[in-house]
Amino acid sequence: MARKLNSILVTGGCGFIGSNFINYLFNKSAASSLSGNKDLFMDSGFKGRVVNVDCLTYAGNPENLSQVQEEFGNTRYFFEKSDITDKQRIEEIFKKYEIDTVIHFAAESHVDRSILGPEAFIKTNVLGTYTLLEVARNYWNVSLDNPRDDVLFHHISTDEVYGSLGENGFFREDTPYSPRSPYSASKASSDHIAMAYYHTFALPVTLSNCSNNYGPYQFPEKLIPLMILNMCSAKPLPVYGEGKNIRDWIYVEDHNRAVWQIINNGITGQKYNIGGENEWQNIKLLDKLIEITSKEANLDINAVKATITHVKDRPGHDVRYAIDCSKIKKELGWERKMTFEEGLVMTVKWYLKNTQWVKNIQNGSYRQWLEKNYDKR
């Protein structure tokens, strides 16, 4: 029996990756107007309903979905403000919208914040995932004696659960987990819980682990938007240690197309690594970003380079991440469309163009709007 995909619950849909995913489903790619390559932004083919569940923490911003809300609000797109740990509320949402698919993006995801306050990461990433799994299991009435293949729970995770690589090698789907921060440990826990529900209760689960995302709507505390905005404000560009840590970068829509491939064609009980096959040392990435931003914003490149500031390295800072994504390429036919150069240019252009979005976050006015429109629901 084919998966229904009629009523999809997206958790964390007002965050960076989640909002880009919903925009992709409704063919409202934020960067499409900034590129002349139409092949980058393909029609998802989705015709059903999306229910966005988000508790609107500091990184959640419904403005990311303003076009979708305006065109599809209360017909094919619905927003429900809720904490994913609130079991009763999640049960009500499942019943109200007859949910047949869960795509679980919601997570606390900033490593530095996890070092300062681990509790929120354990609550959201571990307990929140458990709550969603348990509600889905009961609502769909699945068990080893009553398996189903028309519904699906897809869990979004990170390559950070695998730990740190040396100079050689890649993370594969069978790489042992070795998390080194409260954030990655909480995500590793949620991965194991999700797969346990597949093996123990026959809940139809798929799982994906992705490398570093970048693109439109990313909260300004993250590396790439932070550096772009600091350059434009002549602020210091902070680099941990010597800046030699290596990350594998993928444009957010390439990630989301991979997720959609898994939702449609992935094998239940399987996990898929998603990567950009695009490794960069942090300091070299910053050099490239300075080059692009200086050109696009008409800045003095030498003056910008002079603001690079090396700061004390953070605890447990993994040396290198690199994804082997051959499984999803071979089995599901996915491949990334965006080159890193083109993706960075489009990302820089987006932040330079969307100055009001940035200002609303920097001055906190987006929180006032949230309080007025959502926090009293």
Side-chain angles (χ1 to χ4, degrees), residues 121-165:
F121 289 73
I122 303 304
K123 179 184 177 184
T124 298
N125 299 353
V126 181
L127 182 58
T129 300
Y130 153 74
T131 301
L132 289 164
L133 289 162
E134 185 70 359
V135 172
R137 176 173 78 98
N138 291 325
Y139 179 74
W140 292 336
N141 189 30
V142 296
S143 67
L144 291 173
D145 295 326
N146 185 40
R148 294 182 61 177
D149 57 9
D150 60 328
V151 293
L152 183 71
F153 188 111
H154 182 69
H155 179 60
I156 308 289
S157 191
T158 171
D159 58 357
E160 296 192 38
V161 299
Y162 296 122
S164 183
L165 286 170

Side-chain angles (χ1 to χ4, degrees), residues 40 214 251 254 278 336-344:
L40 292 174
Y214 70 99
Y251 188 70
D254 277 330
N278 182 48
R336 65 178 177 87
K337 298 287 187 180
M338 186 73 72
T339 67
F340 194 49
E341 177 87 20
E342 186 172 16
L344 280 181

Side-chain angles (χ1 to χ4, degrees), residues 288-308:
K288 173 58 71 173
L289 204 52
I290 289 173
E291 174 190 323
I292 294 171
T293 306
S294 297
K295 178 181 178 181
E296 296 293 337
N298 195 27
L299 304 174
D300 182 336
I301 190 170
N302 292 319
V304 174
K305 286 183 176 181
T307 64
I308 295 176

Side-chain angles (χ1 to χ4, degrees), residues 195-244:
M195 294 311 295
Y197 265 68
Y198 165 72
H199 291 290
T200 305
F201 304 116
L203 185 71
V205 169
T206 50
L207 191 153
S208 57
N209 298 82
C210 192
S211 57
N212 283 34
N213 281 228
Y214 70 99
Y217 298 123
Q218 189 168 28
F219 202 75
E221 70 183 0
K222 295 290 190 172
L223 177 63
I224 288 178
L226 174 67
M227 295 302 179
I228 294 169
L229 299 175
N230 278 14
M231 287 181 217
C232 294
S233 302
K235 293 180 179 179
L237 306 178
V239 177
Y240 281 125
E242 296 180 3
K244 293 185 177 180

Side-chain angles (χ1 to χ4, degrees), residues 56-121:
L56 299 178
T57 58
Y58 73 96
N61 189 349
E63 187 181 350
N64 299 358
L65 293 161
S66 57
Q67 286 184 291
V68 171
Q69 177 65 49
E70 182 177 349
E71 187 170 343
F72 301 101
N74 297 319
T75 56
R76 292 180 56 212
Y77 172 73
F78 300 84
F79 175 76
E80 294 283 352
K81 184 178 184 296
S82 176
D83 190 319
I84 58 172
T85 64
D86 185 341
K87 187 176 181 181
Q88 181 177 346
R89 183 83 175 93
I90 298 300
E91 287 175 337
E92 292 170 354
I93 291 169
F94 265 72
K95 293 176 183 177
K96 179 179 179 180
Y97 296 101
E98 299 179 319
I99 299 300
D100 56 54
T101 307
V102 176
I103 307 177
H104 179 31
F105 287 98
E108 294 286 347
S109 63
H110 195 262
V111 175
D112 289 348
R113 286 179 181 265
S114 80
I115 294 170
L116 295 172
E119 183 177 357
F121 289 73

